[in-house]
């Protein structure tokens, strides 16, 4: 009678189970085309949601995404401001190769900051356009049979140009074409595809101050800053309608919400909630841009909680329609927190553990300006409550989505798919480096290379010197150790040259070593 080695037998069974589980996971990915919803918050700091350490603002629905999915701790935005970050996200190219490398209001067209003029002439709206036939996430997903939509803020091509969403891979668009228009949540119009939708809001241009002699502490003094049709509510309705209308086919929804970008405008019920929670506070008088507000801290928190409420509504809609199990939800932010317009990022410790004050958050390639929250939920595929320290960036999203839907990733992208990380595979390819350049705030470049962060600041003014920080023991980038590691500095200087290609648009050009500028 043959004896059975139960120890060896158990090893074989375990290996077989692991193999079958892995095959099952792969089969799930290969046999289905999951719906994909990418929610991009605007100016939301790394620590402005509960699951990243926020203790003043309540975000139970976003936190639930992390509870049911994966939380990334080392994910980076494409850029420290809006338009270039979105370009990097949609094209998979970092700022050394991207078409759009900064915010450009295209002022050569005329008085582009005149809101009354913009309301009459769409040629004054919008930002520099993406080139025709740019390979965006939307266009690649259309090739895979997806219905694609964007709701929210675009910023990558003015009306009447080839850069509008409907010509860049999106079947449906509703929201702000122009970033400047998004400086009020009560605009006089939005866009639906190529049609201007007039709203029942009177014209109150951003930077409109309180009437002379107004009482800062009287709520009635602020009546012109809360009007009839609130754009975030209109946008949410369009997102839910898009999901409903495309329930029977695979869809991609890029929800580029303007929240919590200033101005301070939030539903009264949420403001009242936080006034009760925080107590009375000093009003914001509008002296740092956007609109005044009676309760600035309460209103900012209210905006984030209102966004969180909308995330909950999206999840509820997916469950109602039976789509929840087959939908990937990604949540992130386009850059770090702002510090103007009544927002008070130090009070909320918005970029904790990084610095978020002026000069450290939005508009800067420091960690507080570019490291952002990132959560991915995919029931049955991503382990619930998991966390990863995989170093990733916006330009990895495109190849990841291409991997999920089995579309060939364009060869000229800079990103690496993080699908193996989502599926808890050990076969994840890693970046040797991450790269940024930014032709504003004096001109900046940055490289993340393992523990090292190299930064150039004030390139246009007087400095090509590399500041070097060891993020393992100096997360706030306070101690420049460049003098101690000349070999690392030399490597980073070479990377700055290697990863940079000259921008085609004059406004986006930066100085390089050896350039005559």
């Amino acid at each position: 009678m043959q004896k059975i080695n139960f120890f060896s037998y158990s090893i074989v069974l375990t290996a077989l189970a692991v193999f079958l589980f892995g095959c099952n996971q792969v089969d799930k990915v290969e046999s289905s085309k999951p719906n994909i919803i990418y929610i991009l918050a605007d100016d939301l700091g790394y620590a402005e949601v509960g699951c990243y350490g926020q203790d003043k603002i309540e975000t139970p629905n976003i936190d639930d995404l992390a509870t049911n999915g994966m939380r990334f701790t080392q994910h980076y935005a494409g850029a420290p401001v809006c338009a270039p970050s979105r370009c990097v996200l949609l094209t998979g190219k970092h700022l050394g190769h991207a078409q759009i490398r900064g915010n450009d209001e295209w002022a050569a067209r005329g008085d582009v900051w005149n809101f009354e003029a913009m309301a009459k002439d769409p040629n004054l709206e919008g930002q520099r356009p993406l080139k025709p036939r740019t390979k965006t996430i939307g266009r690649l997903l259309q090739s895979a049979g997806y219905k694609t939509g964007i709701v929210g803020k675009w910023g990558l091509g003015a009306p009447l140009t080839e850069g509008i969403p409907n010509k860049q891979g999106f079947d449906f668009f509703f929201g702000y074409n122009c970033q400047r228009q998004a400086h009020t949540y009560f605009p006089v119009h939005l866009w639906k595809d190529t049609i201007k939708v007039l709203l029942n809001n009177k014209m109150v241009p951003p930077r409109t101050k309180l009437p002379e002699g107004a009482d800062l502490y009287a709520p009635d003094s602020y009546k012109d800053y809360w009007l009839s049709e609130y754009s975030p509510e209109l946008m949410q309705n369009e997102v839910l309608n898009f999901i409903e209308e495309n329930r029977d086919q695979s869809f991609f929804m890029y929800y580029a919400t303007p929240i919590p970008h200033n101005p301070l405008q939030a539903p009264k019920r949420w403001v009242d909630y936080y006034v009760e929670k925080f107590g009375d506070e000093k009003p914001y008088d509008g002296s740092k841009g956007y609109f005044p507000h009676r309760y600035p801290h309460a209103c900012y928190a209210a905006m984030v909680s209102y966004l969180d409420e909308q995330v909950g509504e999206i999840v509820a809609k997916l469950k109602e329609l039976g789509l929840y199990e087959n939908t990937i939800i990604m949540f992130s932010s386009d850059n770090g927190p702002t510090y103007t317009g009544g927002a008070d990022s130090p009070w909320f410790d918005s970029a904790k553990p990084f610095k978020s004050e002026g000069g450290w958050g939005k508009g800067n390639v420091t960690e507080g300006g570019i490291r952002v929250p990132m959560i991915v939920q995919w029931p049955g595929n991503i382990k619930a409550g998991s966390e990863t320290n995989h170093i990733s960036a916006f330009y990895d999203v495109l190849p990841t989505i291409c991997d999920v839907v089995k579309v060939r990733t364009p060869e000229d992208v800079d990103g690496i798919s993080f699908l193996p990380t989502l599926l808890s595979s050990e076969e994840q390819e890693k970046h040797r480096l991450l790269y940024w350049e930014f032709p504003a705030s004096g001109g900046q470049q940055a490289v993340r290379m393992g523990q090292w962060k190299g930064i150039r600041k004030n390139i246009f003014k007087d400095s090509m010197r590399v500041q070097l920080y060891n993020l393992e023991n100096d997360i706030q980038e306070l101690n420049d150790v460049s003098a101690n590691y000349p070999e690392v500095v030399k490597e980073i200087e070479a990377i700055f040259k290697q990863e940079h290609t000259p921008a085609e648009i004059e406004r986006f050009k930066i100085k390089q070593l050896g350039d005559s500028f």
Side-chain angles (χ1 to χ4, degrees):
M1 183 176 176
Q2 186 176 3
K3 293 183 179 180
I4 299 174
N5 185 328
F6 286 97
F7 178 73
S8 300
Y9 187 62
S10 65
I11 291 176
V12 171
L13 286 178
T14 301
L16 181 61
V18 170
F19 173 76
L20 291 174
F21 175 78
C23 290
N24 186 45
Q25 294 300 95
V26 172
D27 287 345
K28 281 183 181 179
V29 175
E30 291 183 346
S31 64
S32 63
K33 285 188 174 181
N35 306 308
I36 304 169
I37 299 175
Y38 187 96
I39 303 171
L40 184 67
D42 197 339
D43 290 3
L44 183 79
Y46 183 81
E48 287 189 330
V49 294
C51 59
Y52 281 84
Q54 180 55 223
D55 57 10
K56 291 186 173 78
I57 306 171
E58 298 171 25
T59 56
N61 295 294
I62 296 169
D63 298 344
D64 278 350
L65 294 182
T67 299
N68 297 312
M70 179 176 286
R71 189 175 74 99
F72 284 62
T73 63
Q74 299 197 75
H75 189 69
Y76 288 89
V81 296
C82 298
S85 200
R86 292 152 200 268
C87 177
V88 170
L89 172 69
L90 291 181
T91 65
K93 297 182 180 183
H94 67 48
L95 287 175
H97 302 140
Q99 297 174 39
I100 308 300
R101 305 188 188 186
N103 284 342
D104 180 7
E105 307 313 326
W106 210 358
R109 295 173 295 166
D111 191 1
V112 295
W113 281 100
N114 185 323
F115 284 82
E116 292 182 352
M118 272 194 285
K120 298 173 183 177
D121 183 1
N123 291 294
L124 294 176
E125 276 194 67
Q127 286 67 44
R128 291 272 183 181
L130 292 172
K131 292 180 180 178
R133 296 177 296 282
T134 296
K135 292 179 182 178
T136 64
I137 290 175
R139 183 163 277 125
L140 291 165
L141 284 172
Q142 283 179 330
S143 73
Y146 275 69
K147 190 75 169 183
T148 60
I150 166 177
V151 171
K153 189 171 89 172
W154 177 241
L156 294 174
L160 314 182
T161 72
E162 293 297 310
I164 62 174
N166 300 95
K167 294 186 178 181
Q168 292 292 342
F170 292 92
D171 299 303
F172 175 76
F173 168 58
F174 181 82
Y176 297 98
N177 171 285
C178 175
Q179 294 177 170
R180 298 186 306 282
Q181 293 281 354
H183 288 193
T184 174
Y185 288 127
F186 292 94
V188 295
H189 72 271
L190 293 170
W191 290 87
K192 192 166 190 176
D193 295 325
T194 58
I195 305 300
K196 181 185 284 191
V197 178
L198 301 181
L199 303 182
N200 183 29
N201 294 324
K202 70 177 182 178
M203 172 65 70
V204 181
R207 292 187 173 271
T208 297
K209 300 290 180 64
L210 288 165
E212 187 175 349
D215 180 358
L216 280 173
Y217 288 85
D220 284 349
S221 297
Y222 301 87
K223 61 184 179 181
D224 277 350
Y225 311 121
W226 187 266
L227 303 173
S228 299
E229 296 192 83
Y230 186 50
S231 62
E233 181 179 3
L234 301 178
M235 293 172 185
Q236 176 75 352
N237 291 339
E238 293 292 345
V239 170
L240 299 177
N241 288 341
F242 182 88
I243 294 171
E244 180 94 38
E245 290 174 1
N246 294 285
R247 61 190 297 178
D248 296 325
Q249 64 183 101
S250 298
F251 64 79
F252 172 60
M253 166 49 60
Y254 168 37
Y255 190 5
T257 172
I259 297 175
H261 192 297
N262 277 320
L264 296 172
Q265 292 174 310
K268 185 177 184 299
R269 58 187 171 84
W270 272 114
V271 176
D272 290 345
Y273 177 84
Y274 280 107
V275 169
E276 183 175 350
K277 180 175 181 177
F278 297 159
D280 199 6
E281 58 177 301
K282 182 181 177 180
Y284 168 59
D285 65 2
S287 59
K288 294 183 179 179
Y290 302 95
F291 295 130
H293 200 281
R294 172 63 185 86
Y295 301 102
H297 290 155
C299 187
Y300 189 83
M303 289 164 64
V304 177
S305 285
Y306 181 65
L307 169 59
D308 179 79
E309 179 183 289
Q310 292 183 322
V311 170
E313 290 172 354
I314 290 170
V315 170
K317 174 60 73 172
L318 293 172
K319 290 181 177 179
E320 173 195 328
L321 298 176
L323 303 176
Y324 177 75
E325 299 293 331
N326 193 41
T327 300
I328 300 172
I329 301 176
M330 298 184 176
F331 178 90
S332 193
S333 174
D334 64 346
N335 48 250
T338 191
Y339 45 87
T340 62
D344 190 353
S345 52
W347 193 81
F348 289 104
D349 208 357
S350 296
K352 181 176 60 178
F354 320 112
K355 292 176 69 65
S356 61
E357 298 88 341
W360 294 95
K362 179 180 178 178
N364 298 274
V365 293
T366 47
E367 294 293 288
I370 54 176
R371 196 168 322 182
V372 291
M374 167 70 163
I375 303 166
V376 186
Q377 177 187 289
W378 189 6
N381 291 280
I382 295 175
K383 183 181 178 182
S386 55
E387 178 180 298
T388 179
N389 62 1
H390 173 66
I391 298 173
S392 58
F394 270 22
Y395 44 93
D396 296 329
V397 174
L398 182 149
T400 301
I401 288 177
C402 284
D403 264 10
V404 167
V405 304
K406 303 302 176 186
V407 169
R408 183 184 296 274
T409 301
E411 294 181 0
D412 60 349
V413 303
D414 296 301
I416 294 172
S417 169
F418 52 75
L419 180 60
T421 291
L422 297 180
L423 301 180
S424 299
S425 168
E426 295 182 359
E427 298 179 358
Q428 176 65 60
E429 183 182 356
K430 296 181 180 179
H431 282 284
R432 183 175 78 88
L433 59 93
L434 299 180
Y435 175 83
W436 299 264
E437 63 182 58
F438 185 50
S441 302
Q444 305 174 45
Q445 283 181 293
V447 164
R448 170 77 195 269
M449 187 174 63
Q451 74 200 63
W452 299 112
K453 177 81 172 289
I455 298 178
R456 274 187 182 143
K457 297 180 179 179
N458 298 318
I459 291 173
F460 291 129
K461 297 177 182 178
D462 56 14
S463 177
M464 295 294 284
R465 188 178 73 83
V466 175
Q467 301 172 22
L468 183 67
Y469 302 96
N470 185 334
L471 296 181
E472 286 188 357
N473 53 38
D474 181 21
I475 199 69
Q476 292 194 333
E477 301 160 291
L478 298 177
N479 303 302
D480 179 5
V481 295
S482 57
N484 300 332
Y485 298 93
E487 71 284 358
V488 178
V489 170
K490 187 174 181 180
E491 184 177 359
I492 288 174
E493 286 177 341
I495 291 169
F496 281 151
K497 293 193 71 173
Q498 166 195 318
E499 297 300 318
H500 167 78
T501 56
E504 294 182 21
I505 298 170
E506 189 68 25
R507 184 180 175 87
F508 299 151
K509 292 183 178 180
I510 67 167
K511 183 179 179 181
Q512 285 288 300
L513 286 172
D515 286 352
S516 57
F517 199 83

